Amino acid sequence: MKKVMLVFGTRPEAIKMCPLVNELKKRETIETIVCVTGQHRQMLDQVLDTFHVVPDYDLSIMKSGQTLFDITTGILESIKMVLEEVKPDVCLVHGDTSTTFVTALASFYLQIPVGHVEAGLRTYNIYSPYPEEFNRQAVGIISKFNFAPTELAKKHLLDEGKNPQSIYVTGNTVIDAMQHTVVEDYHHPELDWVGDGRMIFITAHRRENLGEPMHNMFRAIRRVLNEHPDVKAIYPIHMNPEVRKAADEELGDCDQIHIIEPIEVFDCHNFEARCHLCLTDSGGIQEECPSYGKPVLVMRDTTERPEGVEAGTLKLVGTSEDTIYEWFTKLLDDEKEYAKMAHAANPYGDGHACERIADILEEQLNK
Ligand code: UD1
Ligand code: UDP
């Protein structure tokens, strides 16, 4: 039996790795070991519960208001023992978080092969998204197996000189996670509150947007809602205290917006599928909303998901108050502009990424 260890720590990594955990557990030639860093706590546990994944190891490193130094040193110091004890044949990491980077670094120090799920996404601006672009590129130097979600991601890796034999285009595992979440017969008290009107779905959390950019976003949203009393917004807020403070200051007393606790991924997908449009700086939501044909205003200066922009469902609007205001207003008032963006597109896979990754690992590890 070959040992495959999956390490993840935040909500989005868990959403995209749990379906892979469950697929690998079906494979007879593989022993699947799960280690969570606990970079997130409540938001991670919510996903583990949803997918019924029980970690074998939990590093529990989260502390409130953690810095990049806290996360990096916390994981590096505690994961060494786990890697030495398990001695996996391959260590799988996902995407671009500090958990991803530090786990890959620790594996490299112990000369354990790394597999990178969601490899090859790039903006080539090391400060945007920050620190994620660095994390991705750094893992790309170390990884032996690169599971690229799209042909474009593969191209980035080839252009960087990676061995073509190490790159596999698999689709994104988030599309696998989405196969069974959206249901016809779905009810939620927040959707009852919205009723038949237009619902705007909002999320925001990026580190580079904390401070003034986030205040700009919220002020723009507030202005537009004030001018459209028929529109309501639902905003499941990230647990970062800095995000909560900014949202409370700018949106706290606005009756048209419900700021609620993080929702389960099942609810999140159903909300996305039923919204009129979405405003976000999230990475994962840029992959999900196009499938539902929901326009997304991406409140960031760069995106590593240009496939959705090309497909026409995502619009990169930056973080200036006036630009967000202008685009949000345009999509609410101009039916033609809305229709241009509101069509289903799915550039990120066919829902079979986990099977492909498991097949490749079985084949490669048993050679
Ligand atoms: C992290 C990732 C980011 C990813 C995001 C997904 C890094 C550097 N950043 O950013 O790439 O897009 O997760 O959401 O890896 N908190 C809680 N409970 C939780 C989760 C967070 O209280 O369950 C609070 C803590 O105070 C924590 C803060 O949120 O200090 C920020 O969490 P952190 O993991 O440092 O950064 P994120 O912004 O979540
Ligand atoms: N999500 C969720 N509950 C929420 C908000 C988001 O389950 O309250 C899901 C969403 O469907 C997507 C992922 O979390 O799959 C995105 O995570 P986040 O925006 O935190 O991180 P990013 O993708 O930007 O790294």
Side-chain angles (χ1 to χ4, degrees):
M1 289 265 268
K2 297 294 176 183
K3 286 185 180 175
V4 176
M5 182 157 134
L6 300 94
V7 183
F8 49 92
T10 66
R11 169 173 65 193
E13 293 166 83
I15 290 171
K16 292 165 167 179
M17 287 290 253
C18 284
L20 181 57
V21 169
N22 290 333
E23 179 63 36
L24 286 168
K25 284 197 165 162
K26 292 185 206 157
R27 305 297 174 116
E28 282 175 4
T29 67
I30 285 177
E31 182 187 349
T32 305
I33 301 116
V34 176
C35 172
V36 295
T37 62
Q39 177 179 336
H40 283 174
R41 187 69 280 160
Q42 302 88 334
M43 286 160 57
L44 171 73
D45 292 344
Q46 205 174 26
V47 183
L48 293 172
D49 286 349
T50 300
F51 288 93
H52 309 293
V53 169
V54 181
D56 301 286
Y57 297 89
D58 188 338
L59 308 180
S60 292
I61 64 115
M62 194 194 90
K63 46 185 178 186
S64 184
Q66 60 201 3
T67 64
L68 296 177
F69 293 87
D70 296 326
I71 307 171
T72 303
T73 53
I75 298 172
L76 200 55
E77 280 174 5
S78 51
I79 203 163
K80 177 170 175 277
M81 250 174 54
V82 177
L83 289 170
E84 283 176 338
E85 186 179 303
V86 176
K87 294 191 183 65
D89 293 287
V90 64
C91 181
L92 297 184
V93 296
H94 181 278
D96 58 15
T97 70
S98 291
T99 286
T100 314
F101 163 62
V102 181
T103 302
L105 181 65
S107 302
F108 170 68
Y109 285 165
L110 295 171
Q111 300 198 14
I112 293 167
V114 170
H116 192 194
V117 182
E118 198 178 277
L121 276 64
R122 295 288 185 270
T123 64
Y124 292 112
N125 177 344
I126 209 81
Y127 285 104
S128 180
Y130 167 82
E132 290 83 1
E133 177 66 13
F134 165 81
N135 290 341
R136 282 189 205 114
Q137 292 196 30
V139 177
I141 297 172
I142 297 168
S143 55
K144 178 172 177 184
F145 303 104
N146 297 284
F147 301 108
T150 64
E151 288 293 336
L152 179 64
K154 176 180 176 179
K155 182 175 181 304
H156 293 146
L157 295 169
L158 289 174
D159 291 350
E160 289 168 22
K162 292 287 284 185
N163 175 359
Q165 307 297 324
S166 75
I167 309 168
Y168 307 89
V169 177
T170 58
N172 196 310
T173 59
V174 77
I175 307 296
D176 301 25
M178 284 164 62
Q179 295 308 299
H180 307 290
T181 45
V182 176
V183 289
E184 284 273 316
D185 189 21
Y186 176 79
H187 301 277
H188 193 285
E190 290 299 333
L191 296 182
D192 293 342
W193 168 68
V194 175
D196 293 332
R198 293 183 287 183
M199 187 267 274
I200 312 304
F201 190 66
I202 298 170
T203 78
H205 73 84
R206 295 235 84 78
R207 209 167 268 268
E208 70 272 19
N209 287 341
L210 297 174
E212 206 41 38
M214 204 163 277
H215 282 270
N216 290 341
M217 294 174 187
F218 295 152
R219 277 197 287 265
I221 289 169
R222 170 113 201 201
R223 274 168 63 196
V224 177
L225 290 179
N226 281 346
E227 291 168 13
H228 296 81
D230 60 311
V231 170
K232 288 180 176 160
I234 301 179
Y235 173 10
I237 194 164
H238 193 284
M239 296 197 75
N240 188 333
E242 241 188 287
V243 174
R244 291 182 172 224
K245 187 164 173 286
D248 187 49
E249 283 168 16
E250 303 291 352
L251 300 166
D253 60 350
C254 176
D255 293 343
Q256 283 164 262
I257 179 163
H258 272 190
I259 299 179
I260 59 175
E261 288 304 315
I263 50 180
E264 275 186 36
V265 63
F266 170 75
D267 295 310
C268 196
H269 290 174
N270 278 284
F271 279 34
E272 288 169 14
R274 286 163 176 82
C275 75
H276 184 65
L277 68 98
C278 174
L279 285 95
T280 191
D281 64 5
S282 161
I285 291 175
Q286 291 179 58
E287 293 157 345
E288 293 164 355
C289 277
S291 291
Y292 308 127
K294 301 300 178 172
V296 182
L297 296 179
V298 182
M299 300 183 291
R300 295 170 51 175
D301 296 323
T302 58
T303 182
E304 61 292 270
R305 277 115 177 152
E307 296 91 343
V309 178
E310 207 157 283
T313 4
L314 309 182
K315 173 83 193 160
L316 207 56
V317 291
T319 56
S320 99
E321 181 180 334
D322 286 343
T323 317
I324 297 169
Y325 170 86
E326 186 193 318
W327 271 97
F328 189 7
T329 304
K330 197 187 298 206
L331 288 192
L332 286 178
D333 294 350
D334 186 334
E335 276 177 31
K336 274 197 192 139
E337 284 293 338
Y338 181 84
K340 262 196 232 166
M341 288 179 71
H343 52 81
N346 182 358
Y348 301 111
D350 61 1
H352 297 283
C354 295
E355 288 160 45
R356 285 190 192 99
I357 295 170
D359 287 348
I360 293 159
L361 287 172
E362 279 204 301
E363 191 195 313
Q364 293 296 319
L365 296 178
N366 291 305
K367 262 215 274 213

